Amino acid sequence: MSKHTPGPWSVTTLKATNGDTCVGVKSDEVGVVVAWCHGRSIEEEHANARLMAESTKLLEALKYARRFLKPSEVDTVFIDAAIKKAEGGAA
């Protein structure tokens, strides 16, 4: 079982004390910022944040889809490794 901050996560923006806009990802369930995003532009920071915010849903979707895949019919090694790595195991 993953030990990450519970999802769902969403994109948030805050103003830093110097006036800069900071883009982050927060847990909607516990209300804490789980990551601050950086990029070469504010657009890239938002894109990075959107990808991270959806990661909890993507992991759940991958785990759900994996239940229907048979290793004898589909190469599931890559999928299994991705799930294990996301949950803190060695890939």
Side-chain angles (χ1 to χ4, degrees), residues 43-81:
E43 292 82 12
E44 188 173 85
E45 290 176 11
H46 277 277
N48 292 342
R50 285 191 304 273
L51 181 61
M52 281 190 251
E54 291 304 311
S55 65
T56 58
K57 292 177 195 166
L58 290 168
L59 177 58
E60 289 308 309
L62 185 59
K63 288 165 62 175
Y64 177 80
R66 175 60 182 91
R67 295 180 7 206
F68 301 98
L69 300 174
K70 295 182 174 85
S72 61
E73 298 173 5
V74 178
D75 183 3
T76 59
V77 173
F78 176 72
I79 294 168
D80 293 340

Side-chain angles (χ1 to χ4, degrees), residues 1-4 59-60 63 81-89:
M1 178 59 100
S2 294
K3 297 188 186 322
H4 60 73
L59 177 58
E60 289 308 309
K63 288 165 62 175
I83 292 169
K84 189 179 283 189
K85 189 171 182 180
E87 292 183 334

